[in-house]
PDB file of all heavy atoms in Angstrom:
ATOM      1  N   ALA C 717     -26.835   5.862  24.175  1.00  0.00           N
ATOM      2  CA  ALA C 717     -26.062   5.766  22.864  1.00  0.00           C
ATOM      3  C   ALA C 717     -25.607   4.307  22.690  1.00  0.00           C
ATOM      4  O   ALA C 717     -25.583   3.813  21.693  1.00  0.00           O
ATOM      5  CB  ALA C 717     -24.857   6.674  22.970  1.00  0.00           C
ATOM      6  N   GLU C 718     -25.127   3.716  23.887  1.00  0.00           N
ATOM      7  CA  GLU C 718     -24.645   2.423  23.848  1.00  0.00           C
ATOM      8  C   GLU C 718     -25.547   1.440  23.198  1.00  0.00           C
ATOM      9  O   GLU C 718     -25.328   0.750  22.283  1.00  0.00           O
ATOM     10  CB  GLU C 718     -24.331   2.090  25.334  1.00  0.00           C
ATOM     11  CG  GLU C 718     -23.846   0.688  25.482  1.00  0.00           C
ATOM     12  CD  GLU C 718     -23.681   0.398  26.960  1.00  0.00           C
ATOM     13  OE1 GLU C 718     -23.463   1.428  27.730  1.00  0.00           O
ATOM     14  OE2 GLU C 718     -23.563  -0.723  27.353  1.00  0.00           O
ATOM     15  N   VAL C 719     -26.682   1.425  23.756  1.00  0.00           N
ATOM     16  CA  VAL C 719     -27.846   0.549  23.197  1.00  0.00           C
ATOM     17  C   VAL C 719     -27.926   0.812  21.761  1.00  0.00           C
ATOM     18  O   VAL C 719     -28.074  -0.013  20.964  1.00  0.00           O
ATOM     19  CB  VAL C 719     -29.097   0.730  23.947  1.00  0.00           C
ATOM     20  CG1 VAL C 719     -29.910  -0.496  23.897  1.00  0.00           C
ATOM     21  CG2 VAL C 719     -28.879   1.207  25.397  1.00  0.00           C
ATOM     22  N   TYR C 720     -27.996   2.102  21.468  1.00  0.00           N
ATOM     23  CA  TYR C 720     -28.218   2.559  20.109  1.00  0.00           C
ATOM     24  C   TYR C 720     -27.206   1.785  19.122  1.00  0.00           C
ATOM     25  O   TYR C 720     -27.670   1.155  18.136  1.00  0.00           O
ATOM     26  CB  TYR C 720     -27.938   4.083  20.061  1.00  0.00           C
ATOM     27  CG  TYR C 720     -27.698   4.725  18.736  1.00  0.00           C
ATOM     28  CD1 TYR C 720     -28.666   4.488  17.690  1.00  0.00           C
ATOM     29  CD2 TYR C 720     -26.530   5.416  18.563  1.00  0.00           C
ATOM     30  CE1 TYR C 720     -28.358   5.129  16.488  1.00  0.00           C
ATOM     31  CE2 TYR C 720     -26.353   6.034  17.302  1.00  0.00           C
ATOM     32  CZ  TYR C 720     -27.257   5.915  16.278  1.00  0.00           C
ATOM     33  OH  TYR C 720     -27.054   6.522  15.052  1.00  0.00           O
ATOM     34  N   ILE C 721     -25.997   1.729  19.518  1.00  0.00           N
ATOM     35  CA  ILE C 721     -25.003   1.102  18.658  1.00  0.00           C
ATOM     36  C   ILE C 721     -25.410  -0.338  18.558  1.00  0.00           C
ATOM     37  O   ILE C 721     -25.437  -0.978  17.535  1.00  0.00           O
ATOM     38  CB  ILE C 721     -23.614   1.256  19.207  1.00  0.00           C
ATOM     39  CG1 ILE C 721     -23.290   2.654  19.546  1.00  0.00           C
ATOM     40  CG2 ILE C 721     -22.653   0.705  18.225  1.00  0.00           C
ATOM     41  CD1 ILE C 721     -23.585   3.576  18.332  1.00  0.00           C
ATOM     42  N   LYS C 722     -25.574  -0.930  19.771  1.00  0.00           N
ATOM     43  CA  LYS C 722     -25.678  -2.394  19.806  1.00  0.00           C
ATOM     44  C   LYS C 722     -26.728  -2.856  18.765  1.00  0.00           C
ATOM     45  O   LYS C 722     -26.630  -3.842  18.031  1.00  0.00           O
ATOM     46  CB  LYS C 722     -26.201  -2.855  21.204  1.00  0.00           C
ATOM     47  CG  LYS C 722     -25.992  -4.314  21.405  1.00  0.00           C
ATOM     48  CD  LYS C 722     -26.138  -4.690  22.859  1.00  0.00           C
ATOM     49  CE  LYS C 722     -24.977  -4.125  23.708  1.00  0.00           C
ATOM     50  NZ  LYS C 722     -25.237  -3.911  25.138  1.00  0.00           N
ATOM     51  N   LEU C 723     -27.852  -2.060  18.637  1.00  0.00           N
ATOM     52  CA  LEU C 723     -28.874  -2.542  17.809  1.00  0.00           C
ATOM     53  C   LEU C 723     -28.857  -2.006  16.456  1.00  0.00           C
ATOM     54  O   LEU C 723     -29.772  -2.287  15.624  1.00  0.00           O
ATOM     55  CB  LEU C 723     -30.180  -2.113  18.586  1.00  0.00           C
ATOM     56  CG  LEU C 723     -30.380  -2.988  19.757  1.00  0.00           C
ATOM     57  CD1 LEU C 723     -31.157  -2.320  20.824  1.00  0.00           C
ATOM     58  CD2 LEU C 723     -30.908  -4.325  19.457  1.00  0.00           C
ATOM     59  N   ILE C 724     -27.836  -1.277  16.108  1.00  0.00           N
ATOM     60  CA  ILE C 724     -27.577  -0.841  14.708  1.00  0.00           C
ATOM     61  C   ILE C 724     -27.567  -2.282  13.979  1.00  0.00           C
ATOM     62  O   ILE C 724     -26.871  -3.118  14.410  1.00  0.00           O
ATOM     63  CB  ILE C 724     -26.259  -0.140  14.585  1.00  0.00           C
ATOM     64  CG1 ILE C 724     -26.526   1.338  14.939  1.00  0.00           C
ATOM     65  CG2 ILE C 724     -25.856  -0.254  13.223  1.00  0.00           C
ATOM     66  CD1 ILE C 724     -27.409   2.090  14.024  1.00  0.00           C
ATOM     67  N   PRO C 725     -28.222  -2.394  12.841  1.00  0.00           N
ATOM     68  CA  PRO C 725     -28.150  -3.711  12.141  1.00  0.00           C
ATOM     69  C   PRO C 725     -26.679  -4.010  11.856  1.00  0.00           C
ATOM     70  O   PRO C 725     -25.950  -3.112  11.426  1.00  0.00           O
ATOM     71  CB  PRO C 725     -28.896  -3.230  10.784  1.00  0.00           C
ATOM     72  CG  PRO C 725     -29.071  -1.761  10.745  1.00  0.00           C
ATOM     73  CD  PRO C 725     -29.115  -1.377  12.178  1.00  0.00           C
ATOM     74  N   LYS C 726     -26.454  -5.304  12.244  1.00  0.00           N
ATOM     75  CA  LYS C 726     -25.072  -5.721  12.079  1.00  0.00           C
ATOM     76  C   LYS C 726     -24.700  -5.637  10.591  1.00  0.00           C
ATOM     77  O   LYS C 726     -25.391  -6.044   9.724  1.00  0.00           O
ATOM     78  CB  LYS C 726     -24.979  -7.176  12.436  1.00  0.00           C
ATOM     79  CG  LYS C 726     -23.612  -7.736  12.008  1.00  0.00           C
ATOM     80  CD  LYS C 726     -23.422  -9.076  12.654  1.00  0.00           C
ATOM     81  CE  LYS C 726     -22.039  -9.749  12.374  1.00  0.00           C
ATOM     82  NZ  LYS C 726     -21.335  -9.114  11.273  1.00  0.00           N
ATOM     83  N   VAL C 727     -23.645  -4.915  10.341  1.00  0.00           N
ATOM     84  CA  VAL C 727     -23.195  -4.761   8.952  1.00  0.00           C
ATOM     85  C   VAL C 727     -21.898  -5.461   8.724  1.00  0.00           C
ATOM     86  O   VAL C 727     -20.934  -5.225   9.331  1.00  0.00           O
ATOM     87  CB  VAL C 727     -23.070  -3.219   8.648  1.00  0.00           C
ATOM     88  CG1 VAL C 727     -24.408  -2.588   8.572  1.00  0.00           C
ATOM     89  CG2 VAL C 727     -22.083  -2.520   9.570  1.00  0.00           C
ATOM     90  N   PRO C 728     -21.874  -6.358   7.771  1.00  0.00           N
ATOM     91  CA  PRO C 728     -20.532  -6.909   7.399  1.00  0.00           C
ATOM     92  C   PRO C 728     -19.816  -5.751   6.761  1.00  0.00           C
ATOM     93  O   PRO C 728     -20.409  -4.919   6.096  1.00  0.00           O
ATOM     94  CB  PRO C 728     -20.915  -7.968   6.350  1.00  0.00           C
ATOM     95  CG  PRO C 728     -22.301  -7.583   5.796  1.00  0.00           C
ATOM     96  CD  PRO C 728     -23.002  -6.860   7.006  1.00  0.00           C
ATOM     97  N   ASN C 729     -18.526  -5.730   7.032  1.00  0.00           N
ATOM     98  CA  ASN C 729     -17.705  -4.716   6.463  1.00  0.00           C
ATOM     99  C   ASN C 729     -17.843  -4.751   4.984  1.00  0.00           C
ATOM    100  O   ASN C 729     -17.942  -5.723   4.398  1.00  0.00           O
ATOM    101  CB  ASN C 729     -16.290  -4.854   6.893  1.00  0.00           C
ATOM    102  CG  ASN C 729     -16.092  -4.379   8.321  1.00  0.00           C
ATOM    103  OD1 ASN C 729     -16.936  -3.682   8.782  1.00  0.00           O
ATOM    104  ND2 ASN C 729     -15.017  -4.835   8.995  1.00  0.00           N
ATOM    105  N   TYR C 730     -17.721  -3.565   4.397  1.00  0.00           N
ATOM    106  CA  TYR C 730     -18.115  -3.521   2.891  1.00  0.00           C
ATOM    107  C   TYR C 730     -17.132  -4.401   2.137  1.00  0.00           C
ATOM    108  O   TYR C 730     -17.471  -5.033   1.178  1.00  0.00           O
ATOM    109  CB  TYR C 730     -18.008  -1.949   2.397  1.00  0.00           C
ATOM    110  CG  TYR C 730     -16.605  -1.479   2.667  1.00  0.00           C
ATOM    111  CD1 TYR C 730     -15.694  -1.522   1.579  1.00  0.00           C
ATOM    112  CD2 TYR C 730     -16.146  -0.962   3.897  1.00  0.00           C
ATOM    113  CE1 TYR C 730     -14.442  -1.092   1.700  1.00  0.00           C
ATOM    114  CE2 TYR C 730     -14.908  -0.429   4.000  1.00  0.00           C
ATOM    115  CZ  TYR C 730     -14.079  -0.502   2.940  1.00  0.00           C
ATOM    116  OH  TYR C 730     -12.747  -0.039   3.196  1.00  0.00           O
ATOM    117  N   GLU C 731     -15.956  -4.488   2.556  1.00  0.00           N
ATOM    118  CA  GLU C 731     -15.008  -5.233   1.739  1.00  0.00           C
ATOM    119  C   GLU C 731     -15.311  -6.736   1.826  1.00  0.00           C
ATOM    120  O   GLU C 731     -15.036  -7.537   0.993  1.00  0.00           O
ATOM    121  CB  GLU C 731     -13.546  -5.100   2.131  1.00  0.00           C
ATOM    122  CG  GLU C 731     -12.996  -6.006   3.244  1.00  0.00           C
ATOM    123  CD  GLU C 731     -13.335  -5.438   4.568  1.00  0.00           C
ATOM    124  OE1 GLU C 731     -14.197  -4.449   4.657  1.00  0.00           O
ATOM    125  OE2 GLU C 731     -12.755  -5.898   5.569  1.00  0.00           O
ATOM    126  N   SER C 732     -16.077  -7.052   2.920  1.00  0.00           N
ATOM    127  CA  SER C 732     -16.475  -8.516   2.989  1.00  0.00           C
ATOM    128  C   SER C 732     -17.734  -8.710   2.047  1.00  0.00           C
ATOM    129  O   SER C 732     -17.845  -9.655   1.496  1.00  0.00           O
ATOM    130  CB  SER C 732     -16.892  -8.748   4.439  1.00  0.00           C
ATOM    131  OG  SER C 732     -18.161  -8.016   4.734  1.00  0.00           O
ATOM    132  N   SER C 733     -18.582  -7.670   2.137  1.00  0.00           N
ATOM    133  CA  SER C 733     -19.860  -7.865   1.593  1.00  0.00           C
ATOM    134  C   SER C 733     -19.871  -8.630   0.185  1.00  0.00           C
ATOM    135  O   SER C 733     -20.660  -9.469   0.030  1.00  0.00           O
ATOM    136  CB  SER C 733     -20.546  -6.550   1.420  1.00  0.00           C
ATOM    137  OG  SER C 733     -19.731  -5.783   0.587  1.00  0.00           O
TER     138      SER C 733
END
Side-chain angles (χ1 to χ4, degrees):
Chain C
E718 174 179 345
V719 206
Y720 163 53
I721 308 308
K722 194 168 289 155
L723 289 154
I724 280 291
K726 170 169 180 349
V727 290
N729 283 343
Y730 61 93
E731 89 274 15
S732 70
S733 56

